[in-house]
Amino acid sequence: MMRLTEPQYSFEQSLIECIAGITGNAALREKVTISRPNLIEGAAHYLAAAAAGKLYAIAPINAAQGQDPRVVNDLTKSELIKIYDQYFVPPEKPARKIYNELLNSAKEKCPFCGGIGTPRNLDHFLPKAHFPQFSFAPQNLVPACRDCNMDGKMEAYATTPEAQFIHPYSDSSIFFQEQWIFAKYHVQAHDVPGHFEYAVLPPGGWNEIDKRRVKKHFLDFDLGKRYSIKAAELLGTILQQISRLQNSGMGNETISAVLIQPGIEKAPFINHWQTGMFQSLKDVLQ
Ligand SMILES: [Zn+2]
């Protein structure tokens, strides 16, 4: 739910760098080179589906255990995954620069939880176990923090439109520019800090599929709990500031203008935990 700039490297560039890195395996190198047009065509299909929010419609490669089906021409599932593991990821391979650029594009903030966690590696938006033809496609490689762990989660990939997570590179701007995560501040007894309850409230004009998608994203990445914890950490400081200003004779309306409103405006993006937190404190001060 945090937008990342689309990868600057195309699938074809990634493929060329991978091929350049295949050393000591002439047979694989030749197979990949022959299949280049088909692999590129498949990646174009991915881009179109991602832009339309229809990645769920791409058929997975489902093989019985121990089987290694052909996926693109003579290239098998295990060969395609091997290209990623042995010729894309290792630091000494030319394709590694693409890996690094994709990871750095997140600027230490995981796009799935809105920056609560720091990505340490790339995960596959469509899992490579079921979509090996996209295992080294830049568009399918997303930085994710350990808690979001796309590779673990996406083993159960979406097969319906409403089950798709928000894709940080290509999904509709409504998910990034319109507010759908809100918070409520539950006041406790005097001198006891309250707590924040986060919930999904998509704009009424959205279609049902988009509404269900953000609900699923919020639930599956456990954002309600993770946001509440982050807000609780900051709450003590803010309550102190409010009480200091109140004791100095400042009215709630002014406190809201000088302390709370700037907090809303300084939140990094509209569905960030700070946005909902400060909005709900503003409601309490009114
Ligand atoms: Zn995360």
Side-chain angles (χ1 to χ4, degrees), residues 6-15 17 47 88 94-102 136-140:
E6 284 207 60
Q8 298 304 301
Y9 286 97
S10 67
F11 176 80
E12 188 170 7
Q13 285 170 306
S14 177
L15 182 59
E17 299 293 358
L47 285 182
F88 186 90
R96 178 69 194 201
K97 61 175 176 285
I98 301 176
Y99 187 106
N100 291 342
E101 186 176 302
L102 294 171
F136 50 92
Q139 198 80 16
N140 193 46

Side-chain angles (χ1 to χ4, degrees), residues 16-18 20-22 87-88 90-98:
I16 289 168
E17 299 293 358
C18 286
I22 302 177
Y87 306 112
F88 186 90
E92 70 277 12
K93 293 294 176 189
R96 178 69 194 201
K97 61 175 176 285
I98 301 176

Side-chain angles (χ1 to χ4, degrees), residues 210-253:
D210 290 340
K211 288 179 184 173
R212 280 186 225 157
R213 284 186 69 191
V214 289
K215 278 179 190 152
K216 180 177 170 58
H217 191 103
F218 183 85
L219 283 176
D220 283 22
F221 291 104
D222 203 15
L223 296 185
K225 186 176 157 205
R226 295 166 77 189
Y227 272 29
S228 292
I229 292 171
K230 294 301 284 183
E233 286 168 8
L234 191 55
L235 178 63
T237 311
I238 296 182
L239 290 181
Q240 276 176 10
Q241 288 172 325
I242 292 175
S243 114
R244 206 176 301 134
L245 293 172
Q246 282 172 335
N247 291 340
S248 75
M250 195 181 273
N252 280 353
E253 203 175 314

Side-chain angles (χ1 to χ4, degrees), residues 110 113 145 148 226:
C110 171
C113 57
C145 74
C148 288
R226 295 166 77 189

Side-chain angles (χ1 to χ4, degrees), residues 24-222:
N25 191 341
L28 180 62
R29 191 181 167 118
E30 193 187 334
K31 264 174 136 181
V32 180
T33 306
I34 288 170
S35 299
R36 198 168 137 170
N38 311 80
L39 285 163
I40 291 170
E41 194 185 320
H45 185 45
Y46 182 105
L47 285 182
K54 288 183 175 171
L55 284 177
Y56 73 93
I58 296 180
I61 308 295
N62 288 326
Q65 203 152 25
Q67 285 193 338
D68 188 20
R70 287 195 169 90
V71 178
V72 178
N73 293 341
D74 281 346
L75 282 170
T76 64
K77 175 182 162 179
S78 71
E79 285 171 331
L80 287 161
I81 293 174
K82 188 180 190 175
I83 294 172
Y84 177 73
D85 290 337
Q86 295 187 12
Y87 306 112
F88 186 90
V89 177
E92 70 277 12
K93 293 294 176 189
R96 178 69 194 201
K97 61 175 176 285
I98 301 176
Y99 187 106
N100 291 342
E101 186 176 302
L102 294 171
L103 189 57
N104 292 339
S105 74
K107 300 188 172 67
E108 306 279 302
K109 290 179 172 45
C110 171
F112 296 98
C113 57
I116 291 179
T118 303
R120 291 282 172 246
N121 50 275
L122 296 179
D123 285 345
H124 292 83
F125 194 86
L126 295 185
K128 62 183 189 298
H130 298 281
F131 303 88
Q133 69 273 40
F134 307 127
S135 63
F136 50 92
Q139 198 80 16
N140 193 46
L141 291 166
V142 283
C145 74
R146 196 167 295 161
D147 286 334
C148 288
N149 181 20
M150 286 295 287
D151 266 353
K153 212 170 252 83
M154 294 293 286
E155 286 305 315
Y157 49 89
T159 54
T160 55
E162 60 271 19
Q164 301 178 102
F165 294 132
I166 309 303
H167 199 308
Y169 297 142
S170 50
D171 242 312
S172 166
S173 60
I174 59 169
F175 300 120
F176 308 100
Q177 290 172 6
E178 296 181 29
Q179 189 170 9
W180 48 273
I181 298 181
F182 292 85
K184 187 171 168 44
Y185 180 57
H186 295 277
V187 187
Q188 301 288 313
H190 185 59
D191 281 350
V192 180
H195 68 276
F196 296 92
E197 182 188 2
Y198 284 85
V200 174
L201 191 68
W206 284 16
N207 67 47
E208 282 309 309
I209 288 171
D210 290 340
K211 288 179 184 173
R212 280 186 225 157
R213 284 186 69 191
V214 289
K215 278 179 190 152
K216 180 177 170 58
H217 191 103
F218 183 85
L219 283 176
D220 283 22
F221 291 104
D222 203 15

